[in-house]
Amino acid sequence: MKNHFVVIDTNVLVSGLISRNPDSPTLGIVNYLLANKGIITPIYNEEIYKEYENVLHRTKFNFEPSTVNDVLERIRDIGISSERKSSKEFIPDPKDVVFYEVALSKEDSFLVTGNIKHFPKVDMVVTPAEMMEIIKRNLEE
């Protein structure tokens, strides 16, 4: 079983926690994160972690505080804190740059995002559905 190093865009966590569809790729990503079976290892830095905290605690989402705490604790417990690796790539939203640059810090990592158009068209930037397919293929090997 291969471990996948992933930077998870905040929109993926939000979508996964909102979803009631058991086949939702974003929910699948969150479930793999919470299961801690060595399938995915999150990569983050303090800027990303703070964004997770800020966004997941927003009252408009009405997430259970225990669920948010479980997600945040799991990221800290099994994740890898990493520095940014500077990139010259154009990224339209300056707040997204940190996610891309942290993903660059670990070889063979992925940036999983629901906003794929916001990032360069490179193999490491994938949608949640694409990440679930990658995981599924590797589980079958």
Side-chain angles (χ1 to χ4, degrees):
M1 175 173 45
K2 181 176 179 178
N3 184 23
H4 300 86
F5 296 98
V6 296
V7 174
I8 304 171
D9 199 347
T10 312
N11 63 65
V12 174
L13 293 177
V14 169
S15 294
L17 292 173
I18 288 173
S19 181
R20 299 292 173 241
N21 176 356
D23 297 324
S24 163
T26 56
L27 180 58
I29 298 295
V30 171
N31 286 339
Y32 278 128
L33 172 67
L34 293 174
N36 188 20
K37 297 191 184 233
I39 295 171
I40 66 169
T41 297
I43 306 170
Y44 66 95
N45 71 357
E46 285 307 307
E47 189 176 347
I48 290 172
Y49 191 84
K50 294 284 187 209
E51 179 172 323
Y52 291 162
E53 279 184 318
N54 179 35
V55 172
L56 296 179
H57 281 108
R58 289 182 183 164
T59 55
K60 73 178 183 178
F61 294 125
N62 199 29
F63 295 139
E64 287 290 325
S66 62
T67 302
V68 171
N69 289 337
D70 287 348
V71 169
L72 294 173
E73 284 178 24
R74 183 68 68 193
I75 290 167
R76 284 270 198 226
D77 289 347
I78 67 168
I80 297 172
S81 180
S82 186
E83 297 297 318
R84 295 167 76 153
K85 183 175 179 183
S86 184
S87 169
K88 302 284 187 221
E89 295 279 356
F90 172 73
I91 297 174
D93 186 346
K95 292 185 283 183
D96 288 336
V97 174
V98 64
F99 290 91
Y100 186 74
E101 290 185 344
V102 169
L104 290 174
S105 72
K106 177 86 173 126
E107 191 174 332
D108 295 329
S109 68
F110 294 94
L111 167 56
V112 183
T113 180
N115 295 325
I116 203 157
K117 294 181 206 168
H118 294 186
F119 296 96
K121 292 181 182 181
V122 294
D123 290 344
M124 67 174 267
V125 178
V126 297
T127 66
E130 290 169 331
M131 189 71 232
M132 292 300 290
E133 282 299 315
I134 292 165
I135 291 169
K136 183 180 174 186
R137 277 196 309 270
N138 286 316
L139 288 174
E140 291 171 352
E141 292 178 353

